[in-house]
Amino acid sequence: LNKISEGIIDINKAISINPSEIDYIQEAIRLQPTKSDYFNFRANIYTTSEKINKAITDYETAIKLNPKNAEYYYNRAKTKALIIVNEEVVEDFLTAIELKPESYIYYCEAYEHLENSDFFNIFIKETEKIIDKTNMKNEAKYYKDRAECFLKKMNRASEAIKDIEEA
């Protein structure tokens, strides 16, 4: 387990030093083709390189290998949203939030991507159901974080004020 963690750290370093170099992650996938993190890393590189279809394919592989990892759904949603905002994007954001409801960045990014789409109100209603189901409504931090998102990312002061009052 320690060696795997070290390997992931090394791959992250290699990617951050030279994102166009995909050789390290290709080799890691070749050696460990069932390691979902490697597919997620490569998909992130593809997204950065604007190879969106390849990125989506790798996110799908990562999700098949580890369907309980919220980050993979979140990354796939953000990547798909670069092309089009549709039901699949909404579903991926919702799945990420359901798997990790305490991660306000998922809400924030979803709000940002969906704000001007036909799906925004549906997304808000569905996230409220998830929040109710996971007892996040009782968490003042949830409201504070969401209020911060409304203010900083979306310039929606009235929603932010409501959330601050709830907190």
Side-chain angles (χ1 to χ4, degrees):
L1 188 59
N2 219 6
K3 292 223 182 261
I4 291 172
S5 295
E6 288 172 13
I8 291 171
I9 290 167
D10 287 345
I11 289 169
N12 283 331
K13 278 185 198 173
I15 291 167
S16 66
I17 292 167
N18 189 354
S20 66
E21 276 302 321
I22 202 163
D23 294 339
Y24 293 106
I25 195 68
Q26 301 283 37
E27 181 64 10
I29 289 171
R30 190 185 69 72
L31 293 171
Q32 291 186 311
T34 59
K35 186 77 174 141
S36 59
D37 283 339
Y38 294 162
F39 287 95
N40 185 59
F41 290 144
R42 186 170 69 181
N44 290 340
I45 294 169
Y46 285 147
T47 299
T48 303
S49 304
E50 298 180 9
K51 296 176 182 174
I52 304 305
N53 290 332
K54 285 184 173 187
I56 291 169
T57 300
D58 271 2
Y59 289 130
E60 288 169 356
T61 302
I63 288 167
K64 284 178 189 167
L65 292 170
N66 185 357
K68 298 293 183 192
N69 190 312
E71 181 182 353
Y72 303 161
Y73 293 95
Y74 164 72
N75 287 339
R76 185 171 70 177
K78 285 191 331 177
T79 300
K80 284 182 176 182
L82 295 172
I83 301 171
I84 188 169
V85 174
N86 59 20
E87 295 92 354
E88 291 177 7
V89 172
V90 174
E91 193 59 41
D92 277 351
F93 275 127
L94 289 171
T95 301
I97 289 167
E98 192 162 20
L99 290 170
K100 197 171 179 182
E102 70 280 3
S103 181
Y104 98 96
I105 192 70
Y106 294 170
Y107 298 93
C108 216
E109 287 281 340
Y111 292 155
E112 193 173 345
H113 285 289
L114 302 173
E115 178 182 22
N116 296 316
S117 77
D118 296 336
F119 302 101
F120 185 72
N121 289 331
I122 294 166
F123 175 78
I124 294 294
K125 287 178 188 171
E126 292 301 313
T127 52
E128 289 299 321
K129 289 179 190 174
I130 293 169
I131 298 309
D132 285 340
K133 188 168 71 174
T134 59
N135 282 328
M136 287 297 291
K137 278 249 190 245
N138 300 327
E139 299 286 330
K141 183 180 181 331
Y142 161 74
Y143 288 104
K144 180 191 119 340
D145 288 345
R146 193 169 75 166
E148 184 178 323
C149 177
F150 279 137
L151 277 175
K152 285 184 177 177
K153 293 259 189 182
M154 299 174 64
N155 201 23
R156 296 180 96 159
S158 60
E159 287 96 335
I161 290 167
K162 287 178 192 172
D163 278 353
I164 290 169
E165 289 171 352
E166 282 288 334

